[in-house]
């Protein structure tokens, strides 16, 4: 189950699920270690486009985990954008629930996972720690999870896409400044 410190919003919980998939039933002893690393500030995350890079210090060693996130589908972008009208659109739990119920889950999909350590399973403690650190950050600001999926960098082609299927209040996202557009629920 989600740790109290990680994934207290559904947006952050999507990242906890990357570390703790629902299909995984056996306890994974690396998970508590990964949570501890994230909780104690042992993970320094930088985000560049769709790549999350985490420098993880553990003991005397430092490992670098790189996680590439797939772009969000146009349908999911349209669905979320359609629910975010208004001057102070909020990425609330209701928005998350509504788009998920429409089959447009905003959960990140991974393109590739790599770590500098000797474990090449893509599930080493460093990668898991980066998932938790991202969950913590996304809980604080859900925009991070959308940004890393290129929510606000859709091409003009996307905004011209099937307008009949989109709400009339559709706004070309690439003309918006995300900082003005979203507010963070508190
Ligand atoms: Zn590693």
């Amino acid at each position: 189950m989600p740790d109290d410190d990680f994934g207290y919003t559904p947006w952050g919980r999507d990242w906890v699920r990357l570390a703790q998939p629902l299909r995984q039933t056996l306890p994974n002893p690396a998970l508590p270690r990964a949570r501890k690393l994230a909780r104690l500030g042992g993970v320094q995350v930088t985000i560049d486009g769709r790549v999350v890079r985490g420098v993880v210090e553990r003991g005397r060693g430092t490992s670098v985990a790189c996680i590439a996130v797939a772009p969000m589908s146009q349908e999911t972008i349209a669905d979320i954008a359609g629910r975010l009208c208004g001057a102070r659109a909020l990425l609330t739990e209701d928005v998350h629930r509504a788009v998920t119920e429409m089959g447009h889950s905003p959960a990140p999909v991974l393109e590739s996972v790599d770590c500098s350590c000797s474990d090449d399973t893509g599930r080493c403690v460093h990668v898991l720690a980066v998932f938790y650190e991202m969950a913590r950050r996304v809980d604080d600001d859900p925009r991070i999870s959308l940004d890393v999926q290129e929510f606000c960098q859709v091409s003009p082609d996307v905004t011209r896409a099937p307008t009949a299927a989109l709400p009339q209040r559709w706004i070309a996202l690439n003309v918006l400044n995300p900082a003005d557009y979203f507010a963070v629920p508190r």
Side-chain angles (χ1 to χ4, degrees):
M1 291 306 295
D3 188 285
D4 283 346
D5 290 346
F6 303 99
Y8 65 83
T9 72
W11 306 91
R13 210 169 300 139
D14 287 338
W15 286 86
V16 171
R17 284 280 166 247
L18 294 175
Q20 299 167 237
L22 288 170
R23 64 179 181 277
Q24 181 178 315
T25 51
L26 292 173
N28 179 350
L31 293 174
R33 294 203 300 271
R35 281 196 292 267
K36 189 175 177 187
L37 281 167
R39 190 179 290 118
L40 297 181
V43 187
Q44 301 303 318
V45 161
T46 52
I47 300 173
D48 182 10
R50 289 188 288 110
V51 176
V52 179
R53 186 171 178 272
V55 177
V56 183
E57 291 180 33
R58 181 157 182 259
R60 282 177 292 174
T62 299
S63 297
V64 180
C66 276
I67 297 163
V69 182
M72 187 174 270
S73 77
Q74 294 181 16
E75 293 79 10
T76 302
I77 289 174
D79 192 6
I80 295 174
R83 296 169 198 278
L84 290 181
C85 292
R88 300 286 289 168
L90 294 172
L91 288 171
T92 59
E93 296 203 10
D94 287 344
V95 170
H96 190 287
R97 188 185 312 116
V99 297
T100 301
E101 285 174 357
M102 290 296 289
H104 297 149
S105 169
V109 176
L110 303 184
E111 245 173 24
S112 66
V113 178
D114 186 40
C115 186
S116 64
C117 76
S118 58
D119 182 337
D120 58 4
T121 63
R123 305 275 305 159
C124 65
V125 69
H126 315 107
V127 169
L128 298 174
V130 172
F131 290 151
Y132 285 116
E133 175 63 13
M134 283 296 288
R136 200 179 61 75
R137 291 180 177 218
V138 170
D139 278 335
D140 285 346
D141 186 351
R143 289 174 297 186
I144 293 170
S145 192
L146 297 189
D147 284 349
V148 78
Q149 299 179 74
E150 289 190 338
F151 179 84
C152 287
Q153 293 161 28
V154 289
S155 71
D157 285 349
V158 173
T159 56
R160 281 202 302 272
T163 46
L166 299 175
Q168 288 189 336
R169 53 202 177 170
W170 172 258
I171 300 167
L173 289 170
N174 54 341
V175 303
L176 296 171
N177 177 351
D180 296 337
Y181 193 54
F182 297 119
V184 180
R186 290 291 175 196

